[in-house]
Amino acid sequence: MLTGRMLSIHLAGRQNIAAKSKKVAQMADYTADLQAAIASYAPDRQIITFSPAMLILPRDGERGNFETAVQMSYFFHEWIHYLHNVSTVHGMSAYSSFIGLWNAFRHTTGELGLGQGRFITSSAEELKTRAYLDVIWSTRRPADKPLFGEPSVDMCRIVSCKPAGNFNGIPDYLDVSVEVTNKLGDVVTYPKVIGPTEIVESVAYLLESHFLVRGFNHPPSSTRVFPYHTLTLLARHIAPELDDKTVLMCGLASLQSTFPTDAVIQFLKVCHEFRKKGEDAIEWLTVETVQQLSLNEPALRAGLKQIHDMFPVPGGVERAVKETVAFMEKNLDLRLDNPFFELDFVEHIREAGPGNFGQLMNRLVLTHGICSCRQERAGFDDEIVRDDLFNFAVAASDDRLTDARLAMLASVDFLISHLQADGSFRATADLQNRKCPFFSSCRESTRRDHATDCATQPWKSVHTRPANPCSYAQGVLHFRPGELKSRPGD
């Protein structure tokens, strides 16, 4: 049994803090195609963005306007990232730490939710922020730079792999050496770092490929070696006898750990030994994953209850947080029964056929979790309502929940802008200019009447319409200190 690999959610308690010079704001976003940035998912803001190159929501058209199997696979890839935010230990650990930071920041704010740059009411919260940031940095470590020259996966092989990093005694990334052979036979060796983002992206890419091959008899999309082929290369180095499905399942199992890079190595090694002996590696992996989830279930549920109880008022951001927690609890129940339910999704999609993809995804989204979507369109950067925010599932278009999700997205955007690597928060007055995340899609009068503020200092919106604040203002106002209570616009 793998012990000490699957870590539970924690909202309190001091961790072992190593000195850092890292920029905390450099956290990973996940893209379905790094070269073209066709679609991307921001895990902490819980939003999928489709570029003009993937127009699934034409203006005045129906959502889910997928023209090809590849477009369907890109959407599936990005939604899988969201799903793993709300159904894996890795995702829930990062989310719980962000909620901890969210609550801690409220101890540094004034009456309008603007940061004062110092802890006003709680030194204990000041200590906790460093622990939260350590978890976030480890779980959201940005992907390493791609290999030079964009070689194919068959031109690359890992020649050494060593666990590295130290989070409470557990390695949280891998140092590897990658040997690249070009078409002329020249060999160059590159050092690479494999962290959680490489595992998360590689799992999503393998599922996307399984979706295309199994569901549509379509070859996998061509993409960069790193991060997308990370698991394939690791398996060829550590467990060359494993088939693609088992490698994918090892990756999925590793996400039921706060630190998947350490876990995936263990799973690959053990499954390889089973396969060499002619024994059923998949059966062992399934039983092991359920056992580890069962072992951690009490701590996971206690952590989710702590998040739920942190928000006693049913309004605004609180509504969005409770929706997310409810999906996490439901997905935990489903994982305990079927730890690799993503593989069933592909079979259901294959059986339903491409014409029913949207209808089936509606059901999956409503069952497992709903995130916001943004459709970008070609046009000028300052064009009003150039883009659209929408929910993929029609049944998810509850106005109160939609407003709550947008307020939470704004709240997280505002929070991230204040983070510093040492665990402190900047004062709002010291922030650099940044554009409102809704700048290109906002329909509020504030966007028209205060365009410069929206483009540079959107938090000033708390002063403009106190009785009917925009989404960004609602997100900021939820940081007001004191007991959580109803805010304007709730």
Side-chain angles (χ1 to χ4, degrees), residues 32 77 81 94 99 114 125 139 200 218 238 285 287 334 382 402 413 418 429 431 464:
H77 178 125
H81 283 317
I99 295 299
L114 303 177
E125 293 298 330
T139 55
V200 167
H218 190 288
I238 296 170
L285 191 60
V287 171
L334 295 171
D382 61 351
T402 297
D413 180 83
H418 291 78
L431 294 183
T464 57

Side-chain angles (χ1 to χ4, degrees), residues 51-104:
S51 78
M54 185 172 171
L55 200 63
I56 73 162
L57 184 70
R59 200 175 294 280
D60 301 323
E62 293 186 4
R63 73 196 76 201
N65 182 51
F66 299 103
E67 297 181 351
T68 66
V70 171
Q71 285 192 345
M72 294 180 194
S73 74
Y74 280 174
F75 174 77
F76 184 70
H77 178 125
E78 299 306 333
W79 181 73
I80 284 292
H81 283 317
Y82 165 75
L83 174 66
H84 289 161
N85 270 183
V86 296
S87 70
T88 69
V89 173
H90 176 258
M92 288 187 279
S93 294
Y95 182 80
S96 69
S97 292
F98 252 101
I99 295 299
L101 277 180
W102 191 95
N103 191 55

Side-chain angles (χ1 to χ4, degrees), residues 22 26-28 30 135-144 165 172-173 193-198:
K22 303 162 183 152
Q26 294 177 350
M27 289 174 283
Y30 304 138
V135 175
I136 291 166
W137 175 254
S138 181
T139 55
R140 297 283 187 250
R141 174 188 291 272
D144 198 6
D172 58 354
Y173 64 92
V193 172
I194 293 176
T197 297
E198 281 79 3

